[in-house]
Each structure stands twice: as structure tokens, then as C-alpha cells.
Amino acid sequence: MPTVEVTDLKDDDFLLDVREDDEWQAGHAEGALHIPISEFVARYGELTEAAPQDGRVHVICRSGGRSAQVAMYLAQQGVDAVNVDGGMQVWAAVGRPVVTDDGRPGFVL
């Protein structure tokens, strides 16, 4: 499964967060699309509508396990998808912003 390091992500890269609602509400990357892994197949159309045409989908979760599963599924569907290695834990650890829905500082649950 192709992976990318958090430090290699650019601000305008498309990010799909597959963590559950409570994790998302605690804090997430600004601008990420949130579709929990537990709802992913049913809500797949939301991703195809939001993702850039012929663009890469960077999939993130807390540590990289769930996002690897979703990235593999997307690759099987012909989507250019990569797993963000280390997930939101590394995202926060390297100082990337973590926010709540109302823009306040958040944290990784």
C-alpha cells in the first residue's frame, strides 16, 4: 500500500479523514473531508463528488491502520489513494494544526 509522510503533504492536498465522529469532533485537519470508516461504503459517493478529478486522495486516521484499509479499497476502485503514515498522531506531533468544527484548537483523540 503506498504511503506518504505527513511532512510531505502540501496544504492543498486532498485529505480524507476516516476516524469516527467522536475523534473528528475532538480535532481534525482543517479542510479534510470526514467519512467514518464505519460508514465509508454507504457514503462513497460523497468522496467521488468532493475528490479532485484525477487527483490523489490522502487517507488519514489516528495512527494509520484504518486509513490503510480505506486506501487499499480506493486503489481497488481505481482511485489514486495513499495512506498517511502515522495518521493524526504524527500530524499533531509535527505541529500541523488540529482544529474543531468551529475553528478552535483541537486535539487527537
Side-chain angles (χ1 to χ4, degrees), residues 19 23 60-68 83-90 108:
R19 295 174 303 145
E23 295 172 287
I60 196 165
C61 66
R62 182 173 185 264
S63 62
R66 291 171 286 178
S67 53
N83 185 33
V84 178
D85 194 38
M88 287 299 296
Q89 289 180 318
V90 171
V108 178

Side-chain angles (χ1 to χ4, degrees), residues 14 44-57 78-80:
F14 185 82
Y44 180 74
E46 292 177 40
L47 172 66
T48 59
E49 288 179 20
Q53 292 298 94
D54 301 322
R56 175 168 279 179
V57 175
V79 175
D80 180 9

Side-chain angles (χ1 to χ4, degrees), residues 6-74:
V6 168
T7 52
D8 292 333
L9 290 173
K10 297 172 187 61
D11 289 341
D12 61 347
D13 283 339
F14 185 82
L15 192 63
L16 170 65
D17 189 324
V18 298
R19 295 174 303 145
E20 295 303 322
D21 287 336
D22 60 334
E23 295 172 287
W24 171 266
Q25 290 166 1
H28 54 268
E30 190 171 11
L33 173 66
H34 178 230
I35 304 176
I37 191 170
S38 61
E39 303 171 15
F40 187 75
V41 174
R43 294 176 56 189
Y44 180 74
E46 292 177 40
L47 172 66
T48 59
E49 288 179 20
Q53 292 298 94
D54 301 322
R56 175 168 279 179
V57 175
H58 300 83
V59 189
I60 196 165
C61 66
R62 182 173 185 264
S63 62
R66 291 171 286 178
S67 53
Q69 293 174 31
V70 172
M72 189 175 306
Y73 173 81
L74 290 172

